[in-house]
Structures are given as structure tokens and as C-alpha cells.
Amino acid sequence: MHDLTISQGYLLCSLGDKGTISSLRAEVQVGLVASGVMDLLLEGCGTLQQKKFDVAGPLPGRLEPLSSLYEFLQEKPRILEDIASEYNFSFTDRRYNQLLQDLGRSLVTMGLAEERQGGLWGNKTCYLPDPQGRDQVIQSLRAELLEAGELSDEAAALAVLLAKTGQLGQYFSKYERGAIKARIKELKHTSNNKIVQEMVDYITALVVVIAVC
Amino acid sequence: MSRQRSMETILQSEYVTIGELVRLTGARYSTLKYYTEEGLLPFEQGETNLTRRYRREESVARIALLRRLRQEGETIPALKARFAGR
């Protein structure tokens, strides 16, 4: 199995069978950008202080698909809402589409997705997820979340992202979801990783904003 | 919490977690959990927070063997009898 980043894992789990993320599911799209920010934070490429992201280090090779996001954040320190606004609520979706394309192509390179043209007019690039690869991500997540013992930052982050963007239901049973939500709640109070804690708050707040809109 | 171990690190480790076995073998978590509960997949209980840990090489080989035997039609009771105490 490949060492997937949080954003690659998130995208693999969020792509529908037609290889797209529905534009009607804004929370899932916000989650994709948040997963990229989370990757950058956990790799030490940036810091988060009072919800403001500031670049703090070089971009490692494994995060190459996030280079467009990294370059955008390099311009100046930005608050998380501004990142979402620029990526998810702009008129052109240019930045979001670039991020999606880079992450999608990285999955294609790993053999975890297939690039195709699709959409209503056949001019949209789609990334058909490999079902086996996606199952691997979920099984690995399941093993970490439902077992006793230490939870990795990556598993915690991916679980929070899937939970807050309403995607646990398609992969986990009701019983498992209950256990996972309890684990996330516990994480919020016990985690010594402030980044994960802050991102839980950030994603929750954004999803609430989207729901109100 | 800590960072997830890379595949490179996992492949050099003597012991792995069940999650890492999932990543190494591509087996489903529920399958490995079931094999563990049925005594088909030996483990050691870590002293700290009672985490189960598995010897990497032996476990990967055992999972491959169990997979092959299952494909050949061997039943779980038969496998349990075969591996009893091993």
C-alpha cells in the first residue's frame, strides 16, 4: 500500500463512482481544501495561530500535489476563512480546480484512480477511484479507530474530515459511527496535538457556515 | 498522538499494529480482527495501554498462508484445528 497523505486519502474517499465531487456538496469541497491545510500543518510547512496560517518551512516532495495551495499561502499569512473563501466560494473555482487536478493526478500516478473526461458535456476531467485502493484507506482507518491504543495524527485528521463533511455513513455502520464519534469527541479533550484540535473547530465552523448559506 | 509510520519504517520493524498489518497485506480489518480473536493470528499484548502487537514477518506470512488455504476451500474450523497452539 502507498503512503497516502491526508488529502490524497480524503479525495479517494470523497470521489463518487463517476469520479467527481458533486458541486452541490460544498462541505465535501471545503473538506478537500482543509485536508490540504492539515497536511501542510502536520508536515511543519506552516503554523496555525489564532486561525491564521503562516508558512514556516519548505514543501516536502511527498506534498508536491499541494504546491499550488502552498504557493498561495506563501503570499501572506491568511486566516482559514479566507482560504475557504478563495478556494470554495469564488466565481471561477480556479484554485480549487487546480488543487483537485493535482491531487487527482497524484492518485492516477499511484494507480489509485483513472483519469477520464466526463460530465454533462464531456469536457470535465474526472478521476475514477480504484475501489480496492479506497477500501484499503477505509480498512486502515477502521483498524486504527476501532482498536484500543494510540491514534495517529493522520487517522485522527482523516476521521474528523470525513465525519464533519458527512461522509462516515457511506463507509461505516451505525455502530462503528457511534464508536468513531465518541473517539473524536474524546480526541478533542485529550489530544496533545493542538493542530488537530484547531482543525476540528475550523472544519466544524465552516460546515456550520455552509449549512446556514 | 503521533505521526503515522511510513511503509519504509513499517517494513523495517519487528512488531506492527493491526492497522499496519492491514496496510502491509491489503487484508480487511474485520478479517484480521476475526483471525486474531479465533487464535489464528498470534499477537503479543503490549504493557502500555494493552495494545496488541504482531510480529511482522511471521504475521504477514501467516496471513498469506491463511488466504491461500481459504482460497483452496479450507474452512475456519479446519484452519483452527490446523493451527491450534501454533
Side-chain angles (χ1 to χ4, degrees):
Chain A
M1 187 185 174
H2 299 280
D3 284 322
L4 294 181
T5 62
I6 299 164
S7 44
Q8 286 168 329
Y10 179 82
L11 178 60
L12 198 54
C13 296
S14 302
L15 285 167
D17 290 337
K18 290 182 179 172
T20 56
I21 294 177
S22 168
S23 54
L24 298 174
R25 300 204 63 192
E27 72 280 10
V28 180
Q29 296 185 345
V30 167
L32 184 66
V33 181
S35 69
V37 172
M38 194 90 94
D39 267 328
L40 294 174
L41 288 167
L42 288 177
E43 283 289 340
C45 304
T47 57
L48 196 59
Q49 282 180 339
Q50 292 171 336
K51 290 193 176 179
K52 188 175 267 192
F53 185 100
D54 201 356
V55 167
L59 188 73
R62 69 189 293 258
L63 294 189
E64 183 59 32
L66 300 177
S67 59
S68 62
L69 176 63
Y70 178 78
E71 282 161 19
F72 168 71
L73 294 168
Q74 251 184 334
E75 291 169 8
K76 62 177 182 181
R78 292 179 191 271
I79 59 168
L80 294 172
E81 284 78 1
D82 282 351
I83 303 170
S85 162
E86 193 69 35
Y87 270 79
N88 300 107
F89 308 115
S90 71
F91 286 110
T92 63
D93 288 338
R94 180 176 61 87
R95 293 189 194 279
Y96 173 79
N97 287 337
Q98 182 68 55
L99 179 66
L100 179 63
Q101 178 184 295
D102 293 343
L103 282 168
R105 287 193 173 156
S106 72
L107 292 180
V108 173
T109 306
M110 291 172 161
L112 295 172
E114 190 184 328
E115 188 171 332
R116 286 238 187 111
Q117 291 305 112
L120 195 58
W121 311 106
N123 59 355
K124 190 173 180 180
T125 307
C126 306
Y127 301 95
L128 296 173
D130 171 45
Q132 211 173 343
R134 184 164 58 187
D135 190 54
Q136 277 281 290
V137 174
I138 295 300
Q139 293 304 326
S140 175
L141 195 57
R142 182 173 271 129
E144 278 214 51
L145 290 166
L146 302 177
E147 279 290 308
E150 200 178 15
L151 194 59
S152 71
D153 293 338
E154 286 84 349
L158 188 54
V160 168
L161 284 162
L162 292 175
K164 298 295 176 187
T165 57
Q167 298 192 85
L168 283 183
Q170 54 185 321
Y171 297 115
F172 297 93
S173 68
K174 193 176 177 186
Y175 171 79
E176 288 173 331
R177 289 202 301 275
I180 292 169
K181 282 179 181 169
R183 196 97 202 254
I184 291 173
K185 205 171 175 183
E186 182 186 307
L187 188 79
K188 176 105 180 66
H189 300 291
T190 59
S191 168
N192 52 12
N193 192 329
K194 292 272 178 221
I195 294 170
V196 175
Q197 281 188 1
E198 286 203 30
M199 287 304 286
V200 174
D201 290 340
Y202 161 61
I203 297 162
T204 309
L206 279 179
V207 170
V208 170
V209 169
I210 292 162
V212 171
C213 295
Chain B
M1 292 199 301
S2 58
R3 299 302 306 273
Q4 194 171 64
R5 299 200 300 173
S6 68
M7 284 298 275
E8 197 183 345
T9 309
I10 294 169
L11 286 169
Q12 289 168 356
S13 302
E14 187 180 356
Y15 290 98
V16 294
T17 65
I18 192 168
E20 289 168 344
L21 272 183
V22 167
R23 294 174 70 196
L24 280 172
T25 62
R28 295 179 73 84
Y29 163 67
S30 50
T31 306
L32 297 188
K33 178 93 174 164
Y34 181 69
Y35 285 163
T36 302
E37 302 296 341
E38 294 299 316
L40 292 168
L41 194 56
F43 65 90
E44 292 174 25
Q45 196 97 44
E47 282 182 19
T48 51
N49 62 24
L50 301 175
T51 312
R52 286 171 178 169
R53 57 184 197 161
Y54 301 78
R55 285 186 176 276
R56 179 178 55 82
E57 285 185 5
E58 288 88 332
S59 299
V60 170
R62 174 65 67 93
I63 292 163
L65 179 59
L66 289 169
R67 189 178 268 163
R68 186 171 59 77
L69 292 170
R70 289 288 288 149
Q71 280 168 353
E72 287 171 3
E74 200 144 334
T75 63
I76 294 291
L79 288 173
K80 282 167 72 173
R82 178 196 281 257
F83 291 109
R86 288 168 63 189

